[in-house]
Coordinates of all heavy atoms in Angstrom, one line a residue:
M1 N -2.7 -9.4 17.6 CA -1.8 -8.9 16.5 C -1.4 -7.4 16.8 O -2.3 -6.7 17.2 CB -2.5 -9.0 15.2 CG -1.5 -8.6 14.1 SD -2.0 -8.9 12.4 CE -3.7 -8.7 12.3
M2 N -0.1 -7.1 16.7 CA 0.3 -5.7 16.9 C -0.2 -4.8 15.8 O -0.1 -5.1 14.7 CB 1.8 -5.7 16.9 CG 2.3 -4.4 17.6 SD 4.1 -4.4 17.7 CE 4.5 -3.6 16.2
M3 N -0.7 -3.7 16.2 CA -1.3 -2.7 15.3 C -0.2 -1.7 14.9 O 0.5 -1.2 15.8 CB -2.5 -2.0 15.9 CG -3.4 -1.4 15.0 SD -4.8 -0.7 16.0 CE -5.9 -0.4 14.7
L4 N 0.0 -1.4 13.6 CA 0.9 -0.4 13.2 C 0.4 0.9 13.7 O -0.8 1.2 13.6 CB 1.1 -0.4 11.7 CG 1.7 -1.7 11.1 CD1 1.6 -1.7 9.6 CD2 3.1 -1.8 11.5
D5 N 1.3 1.8 14.2 CA 0.8 3.1 14.8 C -0.1 3.9 13.9 O -1.1 4.5 14.3 CB 2.0 3.8 15.2 CG 1.7 4.8 16.3 OD1 0.9 4.5 17.2 OD2 2.2 6.0 16.2
W6 N 0.3 4.0 12.6 CA -0.4 4.9 11.7 C -1.8 4.4 11.4 O -2.7 5.1 11.1 CB 0.4 5.1 10.4 CG 0.8 3.8 9.7 CD1 2.0 3.2 9.7 CD2 0.0 3.1 8.7 NE1 2.0 2.1 8.9 CE2 0.8 2.0 8.3 CE3 -1.3 3.2 8.2 CZ2 0.3 1.0 7.4 CZ3 -1.8 2.3 7.3 CH2 -1.0 1.2 6.9
T7 N -2.1 3.1 11.6 CA -3.4 2.5 11.3 C -4.5 3.1 12.2 O -5.6 3.0 11.9 CB -3.4 1.0 11.4 OG1 -3.0 0.6 12.7 CG2 -2.4 0.4 10.4
R8 N -4.0 3.6 13.4 CA -5.0 4.1 14.3 C -5.7 5.4 13.8 O -6.8 5.7 14.2 CB -4.3 4.5 15.7 CG -3.8 3.3 16.4 CD -3.1 3.8 17.7 NE -2.0 2.8 18.1 CZ -2.3 1.7 18.7 NH1 -3.5 1.5 19.1 NH2 -1.3 0.9 19.0
R9 N -5.0 6.1 12.8 CA -5.6 7.3 12.3 C -6.1 7.0 10.9 O -6.4 8.0 10.1 CB -4.5 8.4 12.2 CG -4.1 8.8 13.6 CD -3.2 10.0 13.6 NE -1.9 9.7 13.0 CZ -1.4 10.4 12.1 NH1 -2.0 11.5 11.6 NH2 -0.2 10.1 11.6
A10 N -6.2 5.8 10.5 CA -6.7 5.4 9.1 C -8.2 5.8 8.9 O -9.0 5.6 9.8 CB -6.5 3.9 8.9
A11 N -8.4 6.5 7.8 CA -9.8 6.9 7.4 C -10.7 5.7 7.2 O -11.9 5.7 7.3 CB -9.8 7.8 6.2
C12 N -10.1 4.5 6.9 CA -10.8 3.3 6.6 C -11.0 2.4 7.9 O -11.6 1.3 7.8 CB -10.1 2.5 5.5 SG -8.5 2.0 6.0
L13 N -10.6 2.9 9.0 CA -10.6 2.1 10.2 C -11.9 1.4 10.5 O -12.0 0.3 10.8 CB -10.1 2.9 11.4 CG -9.7 2.1 12.6 CD1 -8.5 1.2 12.3 CD2 -9.3 3.1 13.7
D14 N -13.0 2.2 10.4 CA -14.3 1.7 10.7 C -15.2 1.4 9.5 O -16.4 1.2 9.6 CB -15.1 2.8 11.6 CG -14.3 3.0 12.9 OD1 -13.8 2.0 13.5 OD2 -14.3 4.1 13.3
L15 N -14.5 1.3 8.3 CA -15.3 1.0 7.1 C -15.2 -0.5 6.8 O -14.4 -1.2 7.3 CB -14.7 1.8 5.9 CG -14.8 3.3 6.0 CD1 -14.2 4.0 4.8 CD2 -16.3 3.8 6.2
D16 N -16.1 -0.9 6.0 CA -16.2 -2.3 5.6 C -14.9 -2.7 4.8 O -14.6 -2.1 3.8 CB -17.4 -2.5 4.7 CG -17.6 -4.0 4.3 OD1 -16.7 -4.8 4.6 OD2 -18.6 -4.3 3.7
P17 N -14.1 -3.6 5.3 CA -12.9 -4.0 4.6 C -13.1 -4.5 3.2 O -12.2 -4.4 2.3 CB -12.3 -5.2 5.5 CG -13.0 -5.1 6.8 CD -14.3 -4.4 6.5
E18 N -14.3 -5.0 2.9 CA -14.6 -5.5 1.6 C -14.5 -4.4 0.5 O -14.3 -4.7 -0.7 CB -15.9 -6.2 1.5 CG -15.9 -7.6 2.1 CD -17.2 -8.3 1.9 OE1 -17.9 -8.0 1.0 OE2 -17.5 -9.2 2.7
L19 N -14.7 -3.2 1.0 CA -14.6 -2.0 0.0 C -13.2 -1.9 -0.5 O -12.9 -1.6 -1.6 CB -15.0 -0.7 0.8 CG -15.1 0.6 0.0 CD1 -16.1 0.5 -1.1 CD2 -15.3 1.7 0.9
F20 N -12.2 -2.2 0.4 CA -10.8 -2.1 0.0 C -10.2 -3.4 -0.5 O -9.1 -3.3 -1.1 CB -10.0 -1.6 1.3 CG -10.3 -0.2 1.6 CD1 -11.5 0.1 2.4 CD2 -9.6 0.8 1.2 CE1 -11.8 1.4 2.7 CE2 -9.9 2.1 1.5 CZ -11.0 2.4 2.3
F21 N -10.9 -4.5 -0.4 CA -10.4 -5.7 -1.0 C -11.5 -6.4 -1.8 O -12.1 -7.4 -1.5 CB -10.0 -6.7 0.2 CG -8.8 -6.2 0.9 CD1 -8.9 -5.4 2.0 CD2 -7.5 -6.6 0.4 CE1 -7.8 -5.0 2.7 CE2 -6.4 -6.1 1.1 CZ -6.5 -5.3 2.2
P22 N -11.8 -5.7 -3.0 CA -12.9 -6.3 -3.9 C -12.3 -7.5 -4.6 O -11.1 -7.8 -4.6 CB -13.1 -5.1 -4.9 CG -11.8 -4.4 -4.9 CD -11.2 -4.5 -3.5
I23 N -13.2 -8.2 -5.1 CA -12.9 -9.5 -5.8 C -11.9 -9.2 -7.0 O -11.0 -9.9 -7.3 CB -14.1 -10.2 -6.3 CG1 -15.0 -10.7 -5.1 CG2 -13.8 -11.4 -7.2 CD1 -16.4 -11.1 -5.5
S24 N -12.2 -8.1 -7.7 CA -11.4 -7.7 -8.8 C -11.3 -6.2 -8.9 O -12.0 -5.5 -8.2 CB -12.1 -8.3 -10.1 OG -11.9 -7.5 -11.2
V25 N -10.4 -5.7 -9.8 CA -10.3 -4.3 -9.9 C -11.1 -3.9 -11.2 O -11.1 -2.7 -11.6 CB -8.9 -3.7 -10.0 CG1 -8.2 -3.9 -8.6 CG2 -8.1 -4.3 -11.1
E26 N -11.7 -4.9 -11.9 CA -12.4 -4.6 -13.1 C -13.9 -4.9 -12.9 O -14.3 -5.4 -11.9 CB -11.8 -5.5 -14.2 CG -10.4 -5.1 -14.5 CD -9.7 -6.2 -15.4 OE1 -10.3 -7.3 -15.6 OE2 -8.6 -5.9 -15.9
G27 N -14.7 -4.6 -14.0 CA -16.1 -4.9 -14.0 C -16.8 -4.2 -12.8 O -16.5 -3.0 -12.5
P28 N -17.8 -4.8 -12.2 CA -18.6 -4.2 -11.2 C -17.7 -3.7 -10.0 O -18.1 -2.8 -9.3 CB -19.6 -5.2 -10.7 CG -19.6 -6.3 -11.8 CD -18.2 -6.2 -12.5
S29 N -16.6 -4.4 -9.8 CA -15.8 -4.1 -8.6 C -15.1 -2.7 -8.8 O -14.6 -2.1 -7.9 CB -14.7 -5.1 -8.4 OG -15.3 -6.4 -8.1
Q30 N -15.0 -2.3 -10.1 CA -14.3 -1.0 -10.4 C -14.9 0.2 -9.6 O -14.1 1.0 -9.0 CB -14.4 -0.7 -11.9 CG -13.7 0.5 -12.3 CD -12.2 0.5 -12.1 OE1 -11.6 -0.6 -12.4 NE2 -11.6 1.6 -11.7
S31 N -16.2 0.2 -9.4 CA -16.8 1.4 -8.7 C -16.4 1.2 -7.2 O -16.2 2.2 -6.5 CB -18.3 1.4 -8.9 OG -18.9 0.3 -8.3
Q32 N -16.3 0.0 -6.7 CA -15.9 -0.2 -5.3 C -14.5 0.3 -5.1 O -14.2 1.0 -4.1 CB -15.9 -1.7 -5.1 CG -16.1 -2.1 -3.6 CD -16.3 -3.6 -3.5 OE1 -16.8 -4.3 -4.4 NE2 -15.9 -4.2 -2.4
V33 N -13.6 0.0 -6.1 CA -12.2 0.4 -6.0 C -12.1 1.9 -6.0 O -11.4 2.6 -5.2 CB -11.4 -0.2 -7.2 CG1 -10.0 0.5 -7.3 CG2 -11.2 -1.7 -7.0
E34 N -12.9 2.6 -6.9 CA -12.9 4.0 -7.0 C -13.4 4.6 -5.7 O -12.9 5.7 -5.2 CB -13.8 4.5 -8.1 CG -13.2 4.2 -9.5 CD -11.7 4.6 -9.7 OE1 -11.3 5.7 -9.2 OE2 -10.9 3.8 -10.2
R35 N -14.4 4.0 -5.0 CA -14.9 4.5 -3.8 C -13.8 4.4 -2.7 O -13.6 5.3 -1.9 CB -16.2 3.8 -3.3 CG -17.4 4.4 -4.0 CD -18.7 3.5 -3.8 NE -18.9 3.1 -2.4 CZ -19.4 1.9 -2.1 NH1 -19.8 1.1 -3.0 NH2 -19.7 1.7 -0.8
A36 N -13.1 3.3 -2.7 CA -12.0 3.1 -1.7 C -11.0 4.1 -1.9 O -10.5 4.7 -1.0 CB -11.5 1.7 -1.8
K37 N -10.6 4.4 -3.2 CA -9.6 5.4 -3.5 C -10.0 6.8 -3.0 O -9.1 7.6 -2.6 CB -9.2 5.4 -5.0 CG -8.5 4.2 -5.4 CD -8.2 4.2 -6.9 CE -7.4 3.0 -7.4 NZ -7.2 3.1 -8.9
T38 N -11.3 7.1 -3.2 CA -11.8 8.4 -2.7 C -11.6 8.5 -1.2 O -11.2 9.6 -0.7 CB -13.3 8.5 -3.1 OG1 -13.4 8.4 -4.5 CG2 -13.8 9.9 -2.6
V39 N -11.8 7.5 -0.4 CA -11.6 7.5 1.0 C -10.1 7.7 1.3 O -9.7 8.6 2.1 CB -12.0 6.2 1.7 CG1 -11.6 6.2 3.2 CG2 -13.5 6.0 1.5
C40 N -9.2 7.0 0.5 CA -7.8 7.2 0.7 C -7.3 8.6 0.4 O -6.4 9.1 1.1 CB -7.0 6.2 -0.3 SG -7.2 4.5 0.1
H41 N -7.9 9.3 -0.6 CA -7.4 10.6 -0.9 C -7.6 11.6 0.2 O -6.9 12.6 0.3 CB -8.1 11.1 -2.2 CG -7.5 10.5 -3.4 ND1 -6.3 10.9 -4.0 CD2 -7.9 9.4 -4.1 CE1 -6.0 10.1 -5.0 NE2 -6.9 9.2 -5.1
G42 N -8.6 11.3 1.1 CA -8.8 12.2 2.3 C -8.2 11.6 3.6 O -8.4 12.2 4.6
C43 N -7.4 10.6 3.4 CA -6.8 9.9 4.6 C -5.5 10.6 5.1 O -4.6 10.8 4.3 CB -6.6 8.5 4.3 SG -5.9 7.5 5.6
P44 N -5.4 10.8 6.4 CA -4.2 11.5 6.9 C -3.0 10.6 6.9 O -1.8 11.1 7.1 CB -4.6 11.9 8.3 CG -5.7 10.9 8.7 CD -6.4 10.6 7.5
V45 N -3.1 9.3 6.7 CA -2.0 8.4 6.8 C -1.8 7.7 5.4 O -1.3 6.6 5.4 CB -2.1 7.4 7.9 CG1 -2.0 8.1 9.3 CG2 -3.4 6.6 7.8
R46 N -2.1 8.4 4.4 CA -2.0 7.8 3.1 C -0.5 7.4 2.7 O -0.3 6.4 2.2 CB -2.5 8.8 2.0 CG -2.6 8.3 0.7 CD -3.2 9.2 -0.3 NE -3.0 8.8 -1.7 CZ -3.2 9.6 -2.7 NH1 -3.6 10.8 -2.5 NH2 -3.0 9.1 -3.9
E47 N 0.4 8.3 3.1 CA 1.8 8.1 2.7 C 2.4 6.8 3.4 O 2.9 6.0 2.7 CB 2.7 9.3 3.0 CG 2.6 10.3 1.9 CD 3.6 11.4 2.1 OE1 4.7 11.2 2.7 OE2 3.3 12.5 1.7
P48 N 2.3 6.7 4.8 CA 2.8 5.5 5.4 C 2.1 4.3 4.9 O 2.6 3.2 4.9 CB 2.6 5.8 6.9 CG 1.7 6.9 7.0 CD 1.8 7.7 5.8
C49 N 0.8 4.4 4.6 CA 0.0 3.3 4.2 C 0.6 2.7 2.8 O 0.8 1.5 2.7 CB -1.5 3.7 4.0 SG -2.5 2.3 3.4
L50 N 0.8 3.7 1.9 CA 1.4 3.3 0.6 C 2.8 2.7 0.8 O 3.1 1.7 0.2 CB 1.4 4.5 -0.4 CG 2.0 4.2 -1.7 CD1 1.2 3.1 -2.4 CD2 1.9 5.5 -2.6
E51 N 3.6 3.4 1.6 CA 4.9 2.9 1.9 C 4.9 1.5 2.4 O 5.7 0.6 2.0 CB 5.6 3.8 2.9 CG 7.0 3.5 3.2 CD 8.0 3.9 2.2 OE1 7.7 4.8 1.4 OE2 9.1 3.3 2.1
Y52 N 4.0 1.2 3.3 CA 3.9 -0.1 3.9 C 3.5 -1.1 2.8 O 4.1 -2.2 2.7 CB 2.8 -0.1 5.0 CG 2.5 -1.5 5.6 CD1 3.4 -2.0 6.5 CD2 1.4 -2.2 5.2 CE1 3.1 -3.3 7.0 CE2 1.2 -3.5 5.7 CZ 2.0 -4.0 6.6 OH 1.8 -5.3 7.1
A53 N 2.5 -0.8 2.0 CA 2.1 -1.7 1.0 C 3.2 -2.0 0.0 O 3.4 -3.2 -0.5 CB 0.9 -1.1 0.2
L54 N 4.0 -1.0 -0.4 CA 5.1 -1.2 -1.3 C 6.2 -2.0 -0.7 O 6.7 -3.0 -1.3 CB 5.7 0.1 -1.8 CG 4.8 1.0 -2.7 CD1 5.4 2.3 -2.9 CD2 4.5 0.3 -4.0
T55 N 6.5 -1.7 0.6 CA 7.6 -2.4 1.3 C 7.3 -3.9 1.5 O 8.1 -4.8 1.3 CB 7.9 -1.8 2.6 OG1 8.1 -0.4 2.4 CG2 9.1 -2.4 3.3
T56 N 6.0 -4.1 1.8 CA 5.6 -5.5 2.1 C 5.0 -6.2 0.9 O 4.4 -7.3 1.0 CB 4.6 -5.6 3.3 OG1 3.5 -4.7 2.9 CG2 5.2 -5.0 4.5
R57 N 5.0 -5.5 -0.3 CA 4.5 -6.1 -1.5 C 3.1 -6.6 -1.4 O 2.9 -7.8 -1.7 CB 5.5 -7.2 -2.1 CG 6.9 -6.7 -2.3 CD 7.8 -7.8 -2.7 NE 9.1 -7.4 -2.8 CZ 9.7 -6.8 -3.8 NH1 9.0 -6.6 -4.9 NH2 11.0 -6.5 -3.8
Q58 N 2.2 -5.8 -1.0 CA 0.8 -6.2 -0.9 C 0.2 -6.4 -2.3 O 0.2 -5.4 -3.0 CB 0.0 -5.1 -0.1 CG 0.4 -5.0 1.3 CD 0.2 -6.2 2.2 OE1 -0.8 -6.8 2.0 NE2 1.1 -6.5 3.1
A59 N -0.2 -7.6 -2.6 CA -0.6 -7.9 -3.9 C -2.1 -7.7 -4.1 O -2.6 -7.8 -5.3 CB -0.2 -9.4 -4.3
Y60 N -2.9 -7.5 -3.1 CA -4.3 -7.4 -3.2 C -4.8 -6.1 -2.5 O -4.2 -5.7 -1.5 CB -5.0 -8.6 -2.6 CG -4.6 -9.9 -3.2 CD1 -3.6 -10.7 -2.6 CD2 -5.1 -10.3 -4.4 CE1 -3.2 -11.9 -3.1 CE2 -4.7 -11.5 -5.0 CZ -3.8 -12.2 -4.4 OH -3.3 -13.4 -5.0
G61 N -5.9 -5.6 -3.0 CA -6.6 -4.5 -2.3 C -6.1 -3.1 -2.6 O -5.1 -2.9 -3.3
V62 N -6.8 -2.1 -2.1 CA -6.5 -0.7 -2.2 C -5.7 -0.3 -1.0 O -6.1 -0.5 0.1 CB -7.7 0.1 -2.4 CG1 -7.4 1.6 -2.4 CG2 -8.4 -0.2 -3.7
W63 N -4.5 0.2 -1.2 CA -3.6 0.8 -0.1 C -3.1 2.1 -0.5 O -2.6 2.3 -1.7 CB -2.4 -0.2 0.1 CG -2.7 -1.5 0.6 CD1 -3.2 -2.6 -0.1 CD2 -2.5 -2.0 1.9 NE1 -3.3 -3.7 0.7 CE2 -2.9 -3.3 2.0 CE3 -2.1 -1.4 3.1 CZ2 -2.9 -4.1 3.1 CZ3 -2.1 -2.2 4.3 CH2 -2.4 -3.5 4.3
G64 N -3.2 3.1 0.3 CA -2.7 4.4 0.0 C -3.2 5.0 -1.3 O -2.5 5.7 -1.9
G65 N -4.4 4.7 -1.6 CA -5.0 5.3 -2.9 C -4.6 4.6 -4.1 O -4.8 5.1 -5.2
T66 N -3.9 3.4 -4.0 CA -3.5 2.7 -5.2 C -4.1 1.3 -5.3 O -4.3 0.7 -4.2 CB -2.0 2.5 -5.3 OG1 -1.6 1.7 -4.2 CG2 -1.3 3.9 -5.2
D67 N -4.3 0.8 -6.5 CA -4.7 -0.6 -6.7 C -3.5 -1.4 -7.0 O -2.4 -0.8 -7.1 CB -5.8 -0.7 -7.8 CG -5.3 -0.2 -9.1 OD1 -4.2 -0.5 -9.5 OD2 -6.1 0.6 -9.8
P68 N -3.6 -2.7 -7.0 CA -2.4 -3.6 -7.2 C -1.6 -3.2 -8.4 O -0.3 -3.2 -8.4 CB -3.0 -5.0 -7.2 CG -4.2 -4.9 -6.4 CD -4.8 -3.5 -6.7
E69 N -2.3 -2.9 -9.5 CA -1.6 -2.6 -10.8 C -0.8 -1.3 -10.6 O 0.4 -1.3 -11.1 CB -2.6 -2.5 -11.9 CG -2.0 -2.2 -13.3 CD -1.0 -3.2 -13.8 OE1 -1.2 -4.4 -13.5 OE2 -0.1 -2.8 -14.5
Q70 N -1.3 -0.3 -10.0 CA -0.6 0.9 -9.8 C 0.6 0.7 -8.9 O 1.7 1.3 -9.1 CB -1.5 2.0 -9.2 CG -2.6 2.5 -10.1 CD -3.6 3.4 -9.4 OE1 -4.1 3.1 -8.4 NE2 -3.9 4.5 -10.1
R71 N 0.5 -0.2 -7.9 CA 1.6 -0.4 -7.0 C 2.7 -1.2 -7.8 O 3.9 -0.9 -7.6 CB 1.2 -1.2 -5.8 CG 0.4 -0.3 -4.8 CD 0.3 -1.0 -3.5 NE -0.3 -2.3 -3.5 CZ -1.6 -2.4 -3.5 NH1 -2.4 -1.4 -3.5 NH2 -2.1 -3.7 -3.5
R72 N 2.3 -2.1 -8.7 CA 3.3 -2.8 -9.5 C 4.1 -1.8 -10.3 O 5.3 -1.8 -10.5 CB 2.7 -3.8 -10.4 CG 2.6 -5.2 -9.9 CD 2.2 -6.2 -10.9 NE 0.9 -6.1 -11.4 CZ -0.2 -6.6 -10.7 NH1 0.0 -7.2 -9.6 NH2 -1.4 -6.4 -11.1
E73 N 3.4 -0.8 -10.9 CA 4.1 0.2 -11.7 C 5.0 1.1 -10.9 O 6.1 1.4 -11.3 CB 3.0 1.1 -12.4 CG 2.4 0.4 -13.6 CD 1.1 1.1 -14.1 OE1 0.9 2.3 -13.7 OE2 0.4 0.5 -14.9
L74 N 4.6 1.4 -9.7 CA 5.4 2.2 -8.8 C 6.7 1.4 -8.4 O 7.8 1.9 -8.3 CB 4.7 2.6 -7.5 CG 3.6 3.7 -7.6 CD1 2.8 3.8 -6.3 CD2 4.3 5.0 -8.0
S75 N 6.5 0.1 -8.2 CA 7.6 -0.7 -7.8 C 8.6 -0.9 -8.9 O 9.8 -0.9 -8.7 CB 7.2 -2.1 -7.4 OG 6.3 -2.0 -6.2
L76 N 8.1 -0.9 -10.1 CA 9.0 -1.0 -11.3 C 9.7 0.3 -11.5 O 10.9 0.3 -12.0 CB 8.2 -1.4 -12.5 CG 7.6 -2.9 -12.5 CD1 6.8 -3.1 -13.8 CD2 8.8 -3.9 -12.5
A77 N 9.1 1.4 -11.2 CA 9.7 2.7 -11.5 C 10.8 3.0 -10.5 O 11.7 3.7 -10.8 CB 8.6 3.8 -11.4
E78 N 10.7 2.4 -9.3 CA 11.7 2.7 -8.2 C 12.7 1.5 -8.3 O 12.3 0.4 -8.3 CB 11.0 2.7 -6.9 CG 10.5 4.0 -6.5 CD 10.1 4.0 -5.0 OE1 10.6 3.2 -4.2 OE2 9.2 4.8 -4.7
P79 N 14.0 1.9 -8.1 CA 15.0 0.8 -8.0 C 14.8 0.0 -6.7 O 14.3 0.6 -5.8 CB 16.3 1.5 -8.0 CG 16.0 2.9 -7.7 CD 14.5 3.2 -8.1
P80 N 15.1 -1.3 -6.7 CA 14.9 -2.0 -5.5 C 15.7 -1.4 -4.3 O 16.8 -1.0 -4.6 CB 15.3 -3.4 -5.8 CG 16.0 -3.3 -7.2 CD 15.6 -2.0 -7.8
R81 N 15.1 -1.4 -3.2 CA 15.8 -0.9 -2.0 C 16.9 -1.9 -1.6 O 16.5 -3.0 -1.4 CB 14.8 -0.6 -0.9 CG 14.0 0.6 -1.2 CD 12.7 0.4 -0.4 NE 11.6 1.0 -1.2 CZ 10.7 1.8 -0.7 NH1 10.7 2.1 0.6 NH2 9.8 2.3 -1.5
E82 N 18.1 -1.4 -1.4 CA 19.1 -2.3 -0.9 C 19.1 -2.4 0.6 O 18.9 -1.4 1.3 CB 20.5 -1.7 -1.4 CG 20.7 -1.8 -2.9 CD 22.1 -1.2 -3.2 OE1 22.9 -1.0 -2.4 OE2 22.3 -1.1 -4.4
S83 N 19.3 -3.6 1.0 CA 19.4 -3.8 2.5 C 20.8 -3.3 3.0 O 21.7 -3.1 2.2 CB 19.1 -5.2 2.8 OG 20.3 -6.0 2.5
V84 N 20.9 -3.2 4.2 CA 22.2 -2.8 4.8 C 23.3 -3.8 4.4 O 24.4 -3.4 4.1 CB 22.0 -2.8 6.4 CG1 23.4 -2.5 7.0 CG2 21.1 -1.7 6.8
H85 N 22.9 -5.1 4.3 CA 23.9 -6.1 4.0 C 24.3 -6.0 2.5 O 25.3 -6.6 2.2 CB 23.3 -7.5 4.3 CG 22.9 -7.6 5.7 ND1 23.8 -7.6 6.8 CD2 21.6 -7.6 6.3 CE1 23.1 -7.7 7.9 NE2 21.8 -7.7 7.7
A86 N 23.5 -5.3 1.7 CA 23.9 -5.3 0.3 C 24.8 -4.1 0.0 O 25.3 -3.9 -1.1 CB 22.7 -5.1 -0.6
Q87 N 25.1 -3.2 1.0 CA 26.0 -2.1 0.8 C 27.4 -2.6 0.6 O 27.9 -3.6 1.2 CB 26.0 -1.2 2.1 CG 24.7 -0.6 2.4 CD 24.2 0.4 1.4 OE1 25.0 1.1 0.8 NE2 22.9 0.4 1.1
P88 N 28.2 -1.9 -0.3 CA 29.6 -2.3 -0.6 C 30.4 -2.1 0.7 O 30.1 -1.2 1.5 CB 30.0 -1.4 -1.7 CG 29.0 -0.3 -1.8 CD 27.8 -0.8 -1.2
L89 N 31.4 -2.9 0.9 CA 32.2 -2.8 2.1 C 33.2 -1.6 1.9 O 33.5 -1.3 0.8 CB 33.0 -4.1 2.2 CG 32.3 -5.3 2.6 CD1 33.2 -6.6 2.5 CD2 31.6 -5.2 3.9
R90 N 33.6 -1.0 3.0 CA 34.5 0.1 2.9 C 35.9 -0.5 2.5 O 36.1 -1.7 2.6 CB 34.6 0.8 4.2 CG 33.4 1.6 4.5 CD 33.6 2.2 5.9 NE 32.3 2.9 6.2 CZ 32.3 4.2 6.6 NH1 33.4 4.8 7.0 NH2 31.2 4.8 6.8
G91 N 36.7 0.4 2.0 CA 38.1 0.0 1.6 C 38.2 -0.6 0.2 O 39.1 -1.2 -0.1
G92 N 37.1 -0.3 -0.6 CA 37.2 -0.7 -2.0 C 37.0 -2.2 -2.2 O 37.3 -2.6 -3.3
R93 N 36.5 -2.9 -1.3 CA 36.3 -4.3 -1.5 C 34.9 -4.6 -2.0 O 34.0 -3.9 -1.8 CB 36.5 -5.1 -0.2 CG 38.0 -4.9 0.2 CD 38.4 -5.8 1.3 NE 37.3 -6.4 2.1 CZ 37.4 -7.3 3.1 NH1 38.6 -7.7 3.4 NH2 36.4 -7.8 3.7
Ligands
SF4_1 S1 -4.7 5.4 2.7 FE1 -6.6 4.3 2.3 S2 -6.2 2.1 2.7 FE2 -4.6 3.4 3.7 S3 -5.2 3.7 5.8 FE3 -5.9 5.4 4.6 S4 -8.0 5.0 3.9 FE4 -7.1 3.0 4.6

């Protein structure tokens, strides 16, 4: 599998993936989520990580210091990105 360039500098690269993909974001898993977010806050690639998660609509896990609920809120706050094909044609059509 091709590795995204920014992932090579990820602070979570050598950490247990289960920390970032807990069973739930509530109950006992809440402390796991908070620990993962703490790692993200010191991560040098937090921005591209969050961008990637939003663009690819990652529904699970902690990405870029956010949990799935926070990403849903961010996605709702931002207007959907238009693709090149959705741009209006020149000439007023
Ligand atoms: S921001 Fe968090 S999830 Fe993303 S690469 Fe960094 S440590 Fe990993």
Side-chain angles (χ1 to χ4, degrees):
M1 183 168 38
M2 195 176 95
M3 200 175 193
L4 296 168
D5 201 42
W6 55 264
T7 61
R8 295 175 207 279
R9 294 187 293 129
C12 59
L13 195 60
D14 297 323
L15 297 180
D16 184 353
E18 284 188 24
L19 185 64
F20 290 81
F21 291 91
I23 294 166
S24 147
V25 294
E26 297 169 346
S29 299
Q30 180 65 40
S31 66
Q32 205 176 331
V33 169
E34 292 309 319
R35 277 169 50 214
K37 286 180 179 177
T38 301
V39 175
C40 294
H41 283 278
C43 178
V45 293
R46 187 176 167 196
E47 277 188 32
C49 178
L50 178 57
E51 181 75 24
Y52 174 80
L54 291 172
T55 305
T56 57
R57 301 177 188 271
Q58 298 293 323
Y60 302 100
V62 172
W63 293 79
T66 64
D67 59 44
E69 180 60 33
Q70 290 173 313
R71 288 197 300 280
R72 264 192 294 279
E73 286 168 11
L74 285 172
S75 296
L76 291 174
E78 271 190 30
R81 289 157 213 223
E82 293 182 7
S83 74
V84 173
H85 302 293
Q87 298 293 323
L89 296 172
R90 288 180 183 224
R93 296 189 344 175

